[in-house]
C-alpha cells in the first residue's frame, strides 16, 4: 500500500473535482458551464471507475480519509450510471419492437441530419437519402446553399417546408408523403425556427410532426439554458394535449438523460424508442471519445419501432439519425419516468421567464387545409 502523504492528497483533489463535476448538474443553475457538465456522463462514469480502481489499489483503506474518498468516488460512479443506464441494453425497452420489419402503409421513416452550415459535402447526405429512402428528411443548420442542393431531390420529395438561414438555425423538411397544415414558428427566440405539420401516410392516416432546434447554452450562444429549456417545455405542454399519433424530432442541444429532456418527456407523455436499445450518440462526429446523444425522436404511444440507425459521417459534427416507426394504434407502452408534484412548478417558472405559453404552439391537427407543395 502507498500511504505517504502526497499520493492521498492528490487523490483527495481528484475526488473533490469529480464530486463537483457530478453534483453541479443536479442543481438548477442554468449557466451554460453547469448545464454542460450533464452531457459527458458516460465519460465521467469511466473516469470515476478508473479513479476508484486506483484508490482501492494504492490507498490504505484502513485509514478513515481513504475510506471516505473511496465511498465518495463510488457514489459519483453510481450517480453517473443512474442517469445513463436507461440508454443501455441493461434497461428494459420503453417502446416495443414492431412485429414486422417490412415497410407498410402505416409506417413512417424520418432521417434527421444536422448538416453543419459550413459543410459542403452534400453528396454524401444525398447518397444516404437515396440508399435508405426515408419518408421524411429533416435538415438542421441548412442555409440557402444546402437548400439548392436538396432541392435536387424534389422529384422524389415533392412536399417541403423551407427556412434557409445563415445563423446556424436554418431548417428544411422534405417529404415523400403529403404535408398538411404547415407552420414555421419562432417560439422563444426571433431567429430560431421550429416547424409543425401533419404528414399523411400511405394508409391515409395523419401523423402530427414537430421539428425543433433550440439554441444551446454555450459561450457563443446563450449564457444560460433558459431559452432552450423554455422552447422544449412549451412544446411539451402543447403536444400533451394532442390525442393523435405524434412525433417530435430534431437537435435538442440537450442530452437524452438531462433533467430538461426528462422533464420534456414527463410533461409531453411521449416515448423514447432508444431506451433499452442504446445511446445512439450523434455528436461529436469528429471525436470518438467525446460523444453524446443530441439528436432525438420522441413519439406518442401509437407507434412501435422498426429500426434505429446512426448513419455514417457526412462531414458534419453530427451523425445523421434514421428511425422507422410503425403505427399500431394506441399501444400498452408506458413511460419509464413519471411527472412529479414539483415538476409543474418548475415548468411554470421556466415558461414565465421567457413569456411563452403552450397555446402559442401551432397545432396542425386543429387546422384544416390543403397539402403543401
Amino acid at each position: 500500500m502507498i500511504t505517504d502523504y502526497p499520493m492521498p492528497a492528490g487523490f483527495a483533489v481528484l475526488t473533490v473535482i469529480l464530486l463537483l463535476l457530478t453534483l453541479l448538474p443536479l442543481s438548477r443553475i442554468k449557466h451554460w458551464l453547469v448545464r454542460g457538465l450533464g452531457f459527458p456522463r458516460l465519460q465521467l462514469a469511466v473516469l470515476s471507475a478508473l479513479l476508484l480502481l486506483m484508490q482501492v489499489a494504492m490507498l490504505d483503506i484502513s485509514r478513515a480519509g481513504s475510506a471516505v474518498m473511496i465511498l465518495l468516488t463510488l457514489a459519483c460512479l453510481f450517480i453517473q450510471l443512474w442517469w445513463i443506464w436507461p440508454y443501455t441494453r441493461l434497461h428494459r425497452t420503453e417502446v416495443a419492437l414492431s412485429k414486422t420489419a417490412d415497410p407498410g402503409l402505416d409506417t413512417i421513416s424520418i432521417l434527421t441530419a444536422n448538416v453543419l452550415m459550413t459543410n459542403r459535402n452534400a453528396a454524401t447526405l444525398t447518397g444516404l437519402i437515396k440508399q435508405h429512402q426515408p419518408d421524411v428528411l429533416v435538415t438542421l443548420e441548412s442555409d440557402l446553399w444546402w437548400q439548392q442542393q436538396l432541392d435536387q431531390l424534389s422529384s422524389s420529395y415533392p412536399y417541403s417546408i423551407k427556412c434557409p438561414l445563415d445563423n446556424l438555425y436554418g431548417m428544411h423538411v422534405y417529404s415523400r408523403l403529403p404535408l398538411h397544415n404547415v407552420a414555421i414558428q419562432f417560439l422563444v427566440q426571433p431567429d430560431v425556427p421550429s416547424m409543425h405539420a401533419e404528414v399523411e401516410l400511405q394508409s391515409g392516416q395523419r401523423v402530427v410532426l414537430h421539428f425543433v432546434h433550440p439554441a444551446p447554452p454555450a459561450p457563443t450562444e446563450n449564457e444560460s439554458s433558459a431559452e432552450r429549456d423554455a422552447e422544449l417545455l412549451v412544446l411539451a405542454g402543447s403536444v400533451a394535449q394532442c390525442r393523435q399519433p405524434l412525433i417530435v424530432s430534431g437537435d435538442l442541444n440537450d442530452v437524452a438523460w438531462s433533467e430538461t429532456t426528462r422533464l420534456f418527456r414527463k410533461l409531453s407523455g411521449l416515448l423514447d424508442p432508444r431506451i433499452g436499445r442504446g445511446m445512439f450518440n450523434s455528436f461529436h462526429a469528429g471525436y470518438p471519445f467525446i460523444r453524446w446523444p443530441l439528436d432525438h425522436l420522441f413519439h406518442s404511444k401509437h407507434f412501435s419501432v422498426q429500426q434505429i440507425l446512426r448513419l455514417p459521417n457526412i462531414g458534419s459534427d453530427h451523425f445523421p439519425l434514421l428511425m422507422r416507426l410503425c403505427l399500431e394504434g394506441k399501444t400498452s407502452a408506458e413511460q419509464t419516468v413519471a411527472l412529479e408534484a414539483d415538476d409543474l412548478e418548475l415548468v411554470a417558472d421556466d415558461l414565465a421567464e421567457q413569456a411563452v405559453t403552450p397555446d402559442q404552439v401551432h397545432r396542425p391537427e386543429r387546422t384544416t387545409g390543403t397539402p403543401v407543395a
Side-chain angles (χ1 to χ4, degrees):
M1 295 289 181
I2 298 177
T3 58
D4 57 314
Y5 179 76
M7 183 61 71
F11 276 125
V13 171
L14 292 175
T15 303
V16 169
I17 292 174
L18 181 62
L19 192 62
L20 287 173
L21 295 177
T22 300
L23 295 182
L24 276 174
L26 303 181
S27 72
R28 292 187 176 179
I29 299 172
K30 290 184 175 291
H31 192 275
W32 66 267
L33 187 57
V34 174
R35 296 275 56 89
L37 294 176
F39 286 30
R41 290 197 179 277
L42 175 60
Q43 291 81 0
L44 289 174
V46 172
L47 292 176
S48 299
L50 291 175
L51 179 58
L52 183 63
L53 290 174
M54 292 174 63
Q55 288 172 334
V56 171
M58 304 177 72
L59 292 178
D60 182 357
I61 60 176
S62 66
R63 292 188 175 185
S66 297
V68 169
M69 282 190 285
I70 290 173
L71 289 175
L72 288 175
T73 303
L74 184 62
C76 290
L77 176 60
F78 176 80
I79 291 171
Q80 300 294 357
L81 292 177
W82 184 87
W83 284 92
I84 64 176
W85 85 278
Y87 295 90
T88 70
R89 293 184 180 272
L90 300 175
H91 194 280
R92 68 178 178 86
T93 57
E94 188 171 78
V95 179
L97 186 67
S98 296
K99 296 178 181 178
T100 175
D102 297 327
L105 298 182
D106 277 326
T107 61
I108 181 170
S109 55
I110 298 179
L111 193 159
T112 303
N114 184 320
V115 298
L116 183 63
M117 189 182 74
T118 55
N119 175 27
R120 292 297 180 254
N121 190 17
T124 301
L125 177 59
T126 55
L128 290 175
I129 294 166
K130 292 174 182 177
Q131 176 184 351
H132 295 281
Q133 299 185 357
D135 296 313
V136 179
L137 166 69
V138 186
T139 62
L140 312 166
E141 291 198 28
S142 40
D143 58 6
L144 185 58
W145 183 90
W146 273 96
Q147 178 175 303
Q148 292 169 347
Q149 309 309 306
L150 295 172
D151 280 349
Q152 299 174 26
L153 301 169
S154 58
S155 59
S156 299
Y157 292 83
Y159 307 97
S160 59
I161 315 170
K162 302 175 183 179
C163 185
L165 297 172
D166 58 5
N167 64 351
L168 303 179
Y169 294 100
M171 185 182 296
H172 291 76
V173 173
Y174 292 85
S175 176
R176 295 179 180 276
L177 305 171
L179 297 173
H180 301 268
N181 310 324
V182 166
I184 299 174
Q185 291 189 291
F186 297 82
L187 292 169
V188 176
Q189 294 184 257
D191 55 352
V192 178
S194 57
M195 292 181 171
H196 315 266
E198 282 184 301
V199 63
E200 184 178 335
L201 305 185
Q202 295 183 53
S203 65
Q205 174 71 54
R206 292 190 183 188
V207 174
V208 178
L209 302 176
H210 298 276
F211 302 114
V212 291
H213 184 206
T220 57
E221 299 287 345
N222 296 322
E223 184 175 312
S224 83
S225 66
E227 292 84 358
R228 180 203 65 190
D229 296 351
E231 181 156 351
L232 296 180
L233 296 178
V234 75
L235 178 60
S238 175
V239 303
Q241 305 171 49
C242 180
R243 296 296 173 262
Q244 289 183 214
L246 183 145
I247 294 171
V248 173
S249 186
D251 174 3
L252 271 57
N253 274 313
D254 200 10
V255 286
W257 48 74
S258 79
E259 182 180 0
T260 300
T261 301
R262 283 168 60 88
L263 188 53
F264 170 87
R265 291 173 52 218
K266 291 178 183 180
L267 185 61
S268 67
L270 300 183
L271 305 177
D272 188 341
R274 295 167 298 183
I275 289 179
R277 293 189 169 92
M279 296 180 184
F280 297 92
N281 295 327
S282 59
F283 177 93
H284 190 289
Y287 304 107
F289 300 105
I290 308 177
R291 286 182 180 165
W292 36 75
L294 290 190
D295 298 273
H296 307 264
L297 185 147
F298 304 102
H299 60 77
S300 61
K301 294 182 179 181
H302 302 83
F303 298 94
S304 59
V305 61
Q306 285 188 340
Q307 186 181 44
I308 308 175
L309 285 178
R310 190 186 74 179
L311 300 181
N313 193 345
I314 60 171
S316 172
D317 50 355
H318 288 246
F319 292 102
L321 193 66
L322 175 68
M323 291 208 189
R324 300 182 188 275
L325 303 176
C326 182
L327 187 60
E328 302 277 4
K330 191 171 182 179
T331 68
S332 59
E334 293 185 2
Q335 280 193 334
T336 53
V337 291
L339 196 63
E340 300 172 6
D342 61 344
D343 288 336
L344 294 178
E345 181 179 349
L346 182 59
V347 170
D349 290 343
D350 285 350
L351 297 187
E353 183 179 349
Q354 298 299 315
V356 290
T357 60
D359 59 8
Q360 294 174 243
V361 180
H362 178 64
R363 294 185 58 184
E365 74 276 12
R366 284 186 165 185
T367 309
T368 301
T370 56
V372 174

